[in-house]
Every structure is written in structure tokens, then in C-alpha cells.
Amino acid sequence: MMEGATLSVQLMGVCFSLIILISVFLMVKAKMIREKYSLVWFLIGLFTLFMSIFKDTLEWFSNLVGVYYAPSAFFAILIACAYLLLLNLSVSMSGLKMHNKTLTQELGLTKLRLEELEKKMNAGEQH
């Protein structure tokens, strides 16, 4: 009974991994996600697939770090990946916010210069 349950969990892991990999590939193809961000998702999908297929590797890693239940180590690794992904997105958002601020300031200065030029042109036409 235990072997069947383990195989079932292993198949679910493989299916989940393939869904991630195929979804990310299709999103990149449809230009819904940039390649820069898809790389992280591909790595997570490949890692999950590798660990699902080669469960002995997961058990070896669990023993190495001192975790009794191997799936717990697997979920801890996935949670760490999620944190790294969130950190990556936070850095990207911060950069975009600074870039947006710079563009807004440049647009304001451009509008100011345009208004000054229009005033000079209107003053030149009146004389």
C-alpha cells in the first residue's frame, strides 16, 4: 500500500512539474512573461521534475540536512524558491518605480520647456 501511495505522489509531482514547464513555455511564446523572469520558473519546474523522478536524491538531501521526512525538505526548498522569486520581483518593482519617477520628471520638464517655447512664439507673433 505504501509503495502505491509513493508512486501516486511521485506521478503528481511529475505532472505538476510538466504543467509548470509547459505553461511557462507557452507564456514566453505568447509574450505574456519575459524571458528574464521565465528562467526562474523554468528552474523551479526542472528542479521539481528532477526531485519527483529521482526521489532517492530527495531522501539523500533530507538526510544530509537532518530532516526526517523527505517531502518536508522538498517543501522547504520550494518555499525558499518562492521567497527568492518574491525578492527578485521586489527588486524589479523597485527599479521600475524609480524608472517611472525619472520618466515622469523628464515629462514634466519637457512640458515646461514646450510651454515656454509656445509663450515665446506667441510673444513673437504679437510684435
Side-chain angles (χ1 to χ4, degrees):
M1 180 70 179
M2 188 66 164
E3 184 63 34
T6 303
L7 182 61
S8 176
V9 170
Q10 194 174 7
L11 287 175
M12 283 183 9
V14 169
C15 289
F16 176 72
S17 302
L18 291 175
I19 288 170
I20 289 176
L21 291 169
I22 292 169
S23 297
V24 172
F25 176 76
L26 292 174
M27 284 191 270
V28 169
K29 188 176 178 184
K31 302 207 184 288
M32 295 172 65
I33 187 172
R34 291 183 54 195
E35 293 85 1
K36 175 182 173 181
Y37 304 112
S38 68
L39 183 61
V40 175
W41 286 107
F42 273 125
L43 291 175
I44 290 171
L46 288 173
F47 172 77
T48 307
L49 182 63
F50 181 81
M51 288 298 181
S52 298
I53 292 173
F54 303 107
K55 65 179 183 168
D56 293 335
T57 305
L58 181 59
E59 290 176 15
W60 170 82
F61 178 76
S62 297
N63 291 331
L64 181 70
V65 295
V67 175
Y68 174 72
Y69 187 56
S72 295
F74 181 68
F75 286 119
I77 292 168
L78 288 179
I79 289 170
C81 288
Y83 280 127
L84 290 173
L85 185 62
L86 289 171
L87 179 64
N88 184 359
L89 291 175
S90 296
V91 169
S92 295
M93 283 182 10
S94 297
L96 288 173
K97 184 176 180 179
M98 290 186 337
H99 186 67
N100 193 21
K101 180 180 177 181
T102 302
L103 287 175
T104 303
Q105 289 172 344
E106 288 177 4
L107 178 62
L109 290 172
T110 303
K111 284 178 83 173
L112 181 66
R113 289 179 185 139
L114 179 63
E115 289 172 0
E116 288 174 357
L117 283 173
E118 287 175 344
K119 285 180 185 176
K120 285 181 181 179
M121 287 179 61
N122 288 338
E125 287 177 3
Q126 290 176 359
H127 289 317

